[in-house]
Amino acid sequence: MKANKILFGLFAALTLSSCSDDFLEVTSPTDTFIEEYYTTKTSLDEALVAAYAPLHWYDYGSTYQYNALNFISEFMSDDMYPNGSSNTDQPMLQLMFNYSCTPIVCLTGVWSDSYSGVKRSNDVIKYADWVEQAGNISANEKADYVAQARLLRVFYYLQLWKFYGNIPCYFENLASPYIEEQLTADAVYAKVIAELEDIISSCPLQNDYPAEEKGHVTKPLAYMIYAEMVMIQNDNTRYNKALGFMQELITSGRYSLTPNFQDIWEESSEWNAESIWEINYFDDNSVRGWGNQLGAGGCVFPRLHGPRSWKANAGDPFEDVDAGWGFSAIPLHSVASFEEGDLRKEFSAFDLNAHGTSDDPGWMSTGYCLYKYMCRKSNNKDQKADADLGFNNNLRVYRYPEVLLNAAELLLKTGGSGASAAQYVNEVRARAGLGALSSVSEDDILNERRHEFMGEGKRYFDLVRTGKAASVLTPSNDSGGYRTKGWSEAVRYLPIPQDNIDAAQGTLKQNGSY
């Protein structure tokens, strides 16, 4: 159900740019002073809408880049090729695949959109004080607004930390000249995880929302962010707490696996029984377009994933699949990695030749692409602007299988047995049509994560945090022979965009070897 307009009802007067100083300024939606405007609950609602809005921009936002969170890191893993029309199509993506981005040609969208989200979240917290002082909101209502804004801010910092590592991290908006100390990745982690622990322990986050309000941040989302951060950081002092959060979700009874893996990716199955949190998109009257990329409505990543110049065979079960730009070829070594009988294979590594034909498969084509966010004609039929940016596919950020696999891995890390951990893994394997394992190792869990979440943005960070990136992400392991440079710790993080380095007046240092 596409009802959570809080993610999309963008207020034009609140739209900001993150490329200059005015990114950190806001213009009052009326002729009144900003301190006078933000004194009502209605105005605070507008500020909260604005804080949610950058979630919607990650696929194609303020910097006109394709940086959807479900696939940008996949290009740095071993499970997805950027392909496209040629080796110069979307240069940023091609360079990410080969760990060769430059400070000029690099991922700027996640940086820009995330800091927009941080700024807007900070605004909500500040404005909530003003509304309370004006006597127009109760203490409990204020606490709810602040809780949502603080957790949103953590989510935005999570993206910055994962992709860029060493960043400025602040919880109050900056004054001119808008310069803040750059922290190391470890220091960012320490600051944000402490903030998240305080949010979880002291803020009135809701566990769930009614169908018409799905998309708000929740306590289960906070738990998932916590586990992800702790596991990426390899923070053994917090493994027990993260495990406790996962087990609380498991025993809560709120979640269960969707019986049919294919169904997860249908519009009718959004916010299903295994959905922990999604970013909403809709095609009904979507006004998002090339001239209005921050507008309300749909997403573009299905068009990115769609196979190039492809047409389904008449009468084929997948006849609704539409052609796209072909940026998600699944390498042959990834196709071959699935166990025999794994029901997830077809909906991760979709066999194009079995269902249709293409007269221009493009660069890096393997005959397989990602089905999960496939470009389908029925998914943008009700948009009112540009079809390419009008798809209704929600982005599944966290699903219940991740809870189970997190719990299994954390159980092993805290001294639990492989047999006990296997109980969680086997729930995931059973849905995939695979036999049960009597005991599991961390490698078994990593393998299960690979095949459950292929194309969902997990694999690269799993390889990095487990110390396998240097041995797996090499030219010799690429079945297509396209990867010419291997991964090293020096390229773990992406380069900080050069315009931000320049604007920081010497206070920002570039990452790694860039």
Side-chain angles (χ1 to χ4, degrees), residues 200-213:
I200 290 171
S201 65
S202 66
C203 285
L205 290 168
Q206 297 190 42
N207 285 315
D208 200 2
Y209 283 87
E212 65 275 10
E213 295 179 29

Side-chain angles (χ1 to χ4, degrees), residues 324-376:
W325 302 332
F327 283 98
S328 66
I330 305 299
L332 294 179
H333 59 257
S334 301
V335 178
S337 70
F338 283 88
E339 290 180 55
E340 185 69 28
D342 192 329
L343 299 176
R344 297 169 296 196
K345 179 178 180 180
E346 183 172 17
F347 304 106
S348 297
F350 182 72
D351 187 346
L352 293 168
N353 295 326
H355 300 284
T357 57
S358 173
D359 58 8
D360 177 22
W363 160 252
M364 287 179 158
S365 176
T366 65
Y368 294 88
C369 72
L370 185 70
Y371 174 87
K372 294 177 179 179
Y373 293 103
M374 186 64 80
C375 183
R376 295 166 64 173

Side-chain angles (χ1 to χ4, degrees), residues 178-196:
Y178 311 116
I179 293 173
E180 177 72 1
E181 176 189 7
Q182 181 182 25
L183 302 181
T184 65
D186 288 344
V188 173
Y189 169 79
K191 184 172 183 176
V192 175
I193 203 72
E195 167 74 354
L196 183 54

Side-chain angles (χ1 to χ4, degrees), residues 37 65 82 104 116 172 204 223 263 317 375 388 441 455:
Y37 184 80
Q65 281 190 347
I104 301 298
S116 290
E172 293 184 7
Y223 286 176
D263 290 346
C375 183
D388 292 334
S441 65

Side-chain angles (χ1 to χ4, degrees), residues 387-495:
D388 292 334
L389 283 84
F391 288 91
N392 61 24
N393 304 65
N394 279 9
L395 179 62
R396 281 71 162 172
V397 180
Y398 295 109
R399 300 190 287 113
Y400 183 57
E402 191 165 1
V403 178
L404 295 169
L405 296 177
N406 283 351
E409 186 173 340
L410 290 163
L411 189 62
L412 291 183
K413 290 180 182 297
T414 53
S417 69
S420 297
Q423 297 178 41
Y424 295 130
V425 176
N426 286 334
E427 286 189 52
V428 180
R429 288 177 61 82
R431 199 257 303 273
L434 300 175
L437 302 174
S438 59
S439 182
V440 295
S441 65
E442 288 194 20
D443 282 348
D444 293 326
I445 298 168
L446 187 66
N447 185 60
E448 207 60 50
R449 288 177 64 90
R450 178 185 190 181
H451 297 108
E452 179 68 28
F453 303 121
M454 189 171 286
E456 296 181 55
K458 314 289 183 180
R459 175 69 171 171
Y460 173 73
F461 299 107
D462 282 347
L463 292 173
V464 171
R465 69 181 177 82
T466 57
K468 297 179 182 297
S471 60
V472 172
L473 303 176
T474 66
S476 60
N477 286 338
D478 176 21
S479 59
Y482 297 110
R483 180 161 276 156
T484 59
K485 179 180 177 181
W487 185 92
S488 69
E489 189 65 36
V491 295
R492 170 178 179 171
Y493 300 116
L494 293 169

Side-chain angles (χ1 to χ4, degrees), residues 249 253-259 272-275 400-401 404 427 431:
L249 293 178
R254 286 193 296 272
Y255 304 104
S256 61
L257 296 178
T258 300
N272 59 51
E274 71 176 56
S275 178
Y400 183 57
L404 295 169
E427 286 189 52
R431 199 257 303 273

